[in-house]
Amino acid sequence: GNSVTQMEGPVTLSEEAFLTINCTYTATGYPSLFWYVQYPGEGLQLLLKATKADDKGSNKGFEATYRKETTSFHLEKGSVQVSDSAVYFCALISPNSNSGYALNFGKGTSLLVTP
Amino acid sequence: KAGVTQTPRYLIKTRGQQVTLSCSPISGHRSVSWYQQTPGQGLQFLFEYFSETQRNKGNFPGRFSGRQFSNSRSEMNVSTLELGDSALYLCASSLGLGGNYGYTFGSGTRLTVV
């Protein structure tokens, strides 16, 4: 079946540090890949997505490249801010055997950025 | 434009009771999905509706059910509540089925079962 594995947190960084959150996946077919962010007390916000191999998703300084050869979709940001503190979820979507779609999420990585 | 609206935001129920949660999708979105989020299990898919039909269902007991109305609004119902049903229930809407459209989530309903 489909699954997503992402690095365990929490990750603590100083402001302006470089961020990498690793994400690898297992899926049948050609999934679409997503990063969502969840701020305290809120729902999920779509951060970026990629729908085919070698696509790069980007938004608000965050980037991730769909690497089919390594089944990975690592999230990166060159210079984090305190406001980036949140929980980040890697997810994929792929049709299941019943011709429906469901997002498969990783466990989430908590990021804390200190001034 | 308005986002995905979930009501109520917070709910406290007693074991054995039933509960109904509501989700209003973004205008024009026809797909509504429901997810359960708990600290132990993370985010788990409950079901997805499109054009008033359930298209996909996750691995949850029959106590969990849902429906979608002609205006795309959706409700989910949990009967005979158990303590383990305490969770944040998230609704997501999309223009259509499939990953290319992307999903927009609501802020969730936090259910506490006592």
Side-chain angles (χ1 to χ4, degrees):
Chain A
N2 300 332
S3 66
V4 175
T5 302
Q6 60 182 108
M7 59 191 291
E8 297 282 332
V11 173
T12 302
L13 294 173
S14 299
E15 203 164 26
E16 299 185 2
F18 184 85
L19 168 71
T20 300
I21 300 179
N22 291 335
C23 171
T24 57
Y25 68 89
T26 301
T28 54
Y30 300 93
S32 295
L33 302 174
F34 305 83
W35 277 100
Y36 281 87
V37 58
Q38 186 175 34
Y39 297 99
E42 297 293 323
L44 301 174
Q45 296 179 23
L46 177 64
L47 185 58
L48 52 84
K49 68 174 183 177
T51 58
K52 62 182 187 296
D54 299 325
D55 267 2
K56 176 185 281 189
S58 61
N59 185 25
K60 299 180 182 179
F62 291 89
E63 292 183 341
T65 301
Y66 187 162
R67 300 286 188 200
K68 194 172 187 334
E69 64 276 12
T70 55
T71 62
S72 65
F73 193 53
H74 305 321
L75 182 68
E76 296 182 335
K77 186 176 186 183
S79 176
V80 294
Q81 306 300 312
V82 172
S83 58
D84 293 327
S85 298
V87 181
Y88 292 81
F89 293 91
C90 184
L92 69 82
I93 191 163
S94 186
N96 70 5
S97 59
N98 296 322
S99 300
Y101 295 84
L103 279 163
N104 288 95
F105 286 93
K107 292 292 189 183
T109 302
S110 176
L111 170 67
L112 175 63
V113 181
T114 58
Chain B
K1 59 184 178 182
V4 178
T5 303
Q6 291 188 246
T7 56
R9 285 296 306 271
Y10 302 92
L11 207 48
I12 300 175
K13 289 288 187 178
T14 304
R15 271 182 303 172
Q17 288 186 311
Q18 74 163 18
V19 67
T20 299
L21 311 182
S22 179
C23 172
S24 294
I26 290 173
S27 178
H29 283 196
R30 296 170 63 193
S31 166
V32 174
S33 303
W34 289 88
Y35 291 82
Q36 182 196 64
Q37 185 177 25
T38 59
Q41 299 299 317
L43 282 151
Q44 294 185 285
F45 171 74
L46 281 156
F47 25 65
E48 179 173 30
Y49 288 87
F50 182 81
S51 295
E52 302 177 66
T53 302
Q54 187 180 90
R55 298 304 180 102
N56 196 6
K57 188 177 190 306
N59 189 26
F60 278 82
R63 300 185 297 106
F64 291 81
S65 62
R67 59 178 174 168
Q68 186 181 34
F69 302 96
S70 58
N71 62 358
S72 295
R73 191 177 71 85
S74 177
E75 289 181 346
M76 68 162 282
N77 184 277
V78 187
S79 62
T80 320
L81 284 166
E82 301 177 359
L83 295 178
D85 297 333
S86 295
L88 179 67
Y89 289 89
L90 292 166
C91 165
S93 76
S94 177
L95 275 171
L97 294 172
N100 289 342
Y101 294 102
Y103 290 82
T104 302
F105 282 80
S107 296
T109 294
R110 184 163 296 281
L111 171 65
T112 302
V113 182
V114 298

